[in-house]
Amino acid sequence: MKFSPRARRLAARVAVALATVASASTVHSAPQETATMSRQKQHVIVLLKSIETGDGAPVAVVNPNQYIQHNLAVGDGLAGFGAVLQALPTGSARVATVRVFEDGDHVFTHTDYDFFGPKIGFDIFRFENGKIVEHWDNLQPTPTGPNPSGRTMVDGPTTAIDLDKTDANKALVRAFVDDILVHGRMDRLAGYFDGDRYVQHNPQVADGLSGLGAALEAMAQAGVTMTYDRIHKVLGEGNFVLTVSEGQFAGKHVAFYDLFRVDNGKIAEHWDTIEPIPPRAEWKNGNGKF
């Protein structure tokens, strides 16, 4: 893959920052609110914020010899990341990470972006030996107003609890997505929820199973189809679980990222983003979306 001379110069500056900061023994200074987070979470929060601030030091957490990029609009490695930053109009970016969770060597975030326009995004980072070596994301344009229940795509609880129930909650959510969204076993739907108490952040859907049913009926009447074909990842921390799935929406090949909050063994809240997957000829890296 070829990059412009300007992109290569930016990558060289990134390499200098890497060399400078890698010699330090402490983590790059994190915002005060991240002080009690794990080092991996701190690294991710500060790295994402650097898109807004232009600070080159946080990129030191990225392994310069192994950075696998799954955003198909971005070239692979640090050079690809640098080229995207270079293309941003000066002072245009805004990054407000609302949620950050950790599952082993993965950290996943939920962020309100202004990045070539306002977007809501989920990002997943994989660490090896303290360095980021792989990145996935899913971005959706921010709606102009709240959903039918007055909710945004990012409001609601942000802190994980029930950490001892992580595995059980991941199993519950995986079963829900497989049963209902992949295989359409609608006779099992009610068993995953506490009656009609279900908080919904999808821009088009109201709260409750009644709201979900109404939205699905409206989609059917409009000829809009949605199918989940395969689950690629299930990550969780405590009562928050993120699933990464592949399927079809409104005739397009898409990635579904769904974040669920679980309460007492039932699904209580849902956030999501849906992003079309471009044709293979338009990919800027060969790593695939998943």
Side-chain angles (χ1 to χ4, degrees):
M1 183 172 294
K2 295 182 179 179
F3 298 95
S4 69
R6 293 178 66 196
R8 289 196 294 270
R9 288 195 296 272
L10 180 57
R13 291 198 295 272
V14 166
V16 170
L18 278 167
T20 301
V21 181
S23 64
S25 59
T26 59
V27 179
H28 177 74
S29 179
Q32 184 176 358
E33 61 269 22
T34 70
T36 60
M37 292 180 179
S38 71
R39 289 171 67 88
Q40 289 188 162
K41 286 182 178 180
Q42 289 184 39
H43 282 312
V44 166
I45 291 290
V46 177
L47 178 65
L48 290 176
K49 195 65 175 179
S50 72
I51 297 172
E52 174 183 321
T53 65
D55 185 359
V59 78
V61 73
V62 178
N63 185 331
N65 302 312
Q66 180 189 351
Y67 182 55
I68 304 168
Q69 176 64 259
H70 293 275
N71 182 318
L72 300 178
V74 180
D76 212 9
L78 283 177
F81 181 58
V84 170
L85 295 182
Q86 183 188 35
L88 275 170
T90 302
S92 67
R94 181 179 58 82
V95 179
T97 298
V98 179
R99 295 174 180 85
V100 56
F101 304 108
E102 187 170 12
D103 187 346
D105 59 1
H106 289 77
V107 171
F108 57 102
T109 58
H110 193 193
T111 300
D112 184 356
Y113 284 109
D114 198 329
F115 186 72
F116 300 108
K119 297 176 178 67
I120 304 300
F122 290 102
D123 291 87
I124 302 172
F125 297 88
R126 182 172 67 85
F127 284 76
E128 280 186 7
N129 301 317
K131 297 287 187 180
I132 292 173
V133 295
E134 198 161 7
H135 170 252
W136 302 259
D137 66 356
N138 215 52
L139 299 164
Q140 180 173 327
T142 306
T144 56
N147 74 3
S149 292
R151 306 188 190 280
T152 75
M153 290 183 71
V154 295
D155 62 354
T158 61
T159 303
I161 60 173
D162 298 334
L163 300 183
D164 59 323
K165 298 178 182 178
T166 297
D167 290 343
N169 290 336
K170 288 170 65 176
L172 171 75
V173 168
R174 178 185 283 276
F176 167 75
V177 175
D178 184 68
D179 271 347
I180 307 304
L181 301 179
V182 176
H183 290 103
R185 299 168 181 143
M186 301 305 289
D187 58 307
R188 304 182 184 182
L189 178 65
Y192 288 103
F193 298 90
D194 182 11
D196 204 36
R197 289 186 284 275
Y198 174 50
V199 180
Q200 177 65 259
H201 295 271
N202 181 288
Q204 308 302 323
V205 184
D207 285 352
L209 291 182
S210 55
L212 178 60
L216 292 175
E217 182 179 357
M219 285 171 53
Q221 291 177 352
V224 177
T225 59
M226 180 177 70
T227 59
Y228 281 60
D229 298 325
R230 179 182 176 188
I231 303 169
H232 286 273
K233 285 184 177 62
V234 179
L235 300 171
E237 181 181 357
N239 61 331
F240 283 89
V241 179
L242 177 72
T243 62
V244 176
S245 308
E246 180 177 5
Q248 307 289 322
F249 182 74
K252 295 181 179 180
H253 184 202
V254 301
F256 298 103
Y257 276 46
D258 293 276
L259 180 66
F260 300 90
R261 181 176 63 83
V262 180
D263 184 23
N264 293 321
K266 302 291 184 180
I267 293 173
E269 197 159 3
H270 171 251
W271 301 259
D272 68 335
T273 60
I274 304 172
E275 182 177 13
I277 300 173
R280 181 68 175 81
E282 297 178 12
W283 295 6
K284 293 189 177 180
N285 65 67
N287 301 318
K289 181 69 173 177
F290 304 101

